Amino acid sequence: QVRPVESGGGFVQAGGALRLFCVVSGITISSNAVGWYRQAPGNQRGWSADITSSGITNYDDATKDRLTISRDNTKNTAYLQLDNLKPDGTAVYYCFTVCRRFGHWGQGTQVTVSS
């Protein structure tokens, strides 16, 4: 079974940074795109970034300047670097990947940004 597991979230002051991890078991992600989504308090889950199997990256324009998505296929891991965090970055961040038309979500990792 495909199982993304996120980690790396935590508490950070505004202006700080965090690096989120998504380790995917059940598949080798070298042939799969991986995406990061976020769900802020009181809001619906929304897309933040993704990276294709060939390494092409895409970002939500609203936060593009503060996000960097990457991957290490040898570790079966995708990353999301969050820089210059603002309080509106407070959210649960989810990892997502598609395998044979089925989407697979992780459980999420909490990021809390204080003023």
Side-chain angles (χ1 to χ4, degrees), residues 15-104:
L18 289 172
R19 190 186 192 196
L20 308 183
F21 301 77
C22 174
V23 180
V24 183
S25 62
I27 60 169
T28 53
I29 66 167
S30 60
S31 299
N32 297 78
V34 179
W36 284 96
Y37 293 71
R38 64 188 300 274
Q39 187 166 11
N43 294 334
Q44 294 181 302
R45 188 178 302 183
W47 171 75
S48 290
D50 59 60
I51 182 167
T52 70
S53 60
S54 62
I56 299 172
T57 58
N58 302 279
Y59 298 95
D60 179 3
D61 287 341
T63 54
K64 180 179 180 178
D65 293 342
R66 294 179 278 132
L67 300 177
T68 304
I69 190 170
S70 60
R71 64 193 298 156
D72 184 345
N73 291 337
T74 66
K75 300 181 182 296
N76 228 44
T77 300
Y79 308 90
L80 187 68
Q81 179 71 36
L82 307 177
D83 294 312
N84 192 25
L85 281 162
K86 300 177 181 179
D88 62 6
T90 295
V92 178
Y93 288 76
Y94 296 90
C95 184
F96 173 81
T97 191
V98 175
C99 182
R100 302 176 71 176
R101 291 194 171 187
F102 288 89
H104 303 274

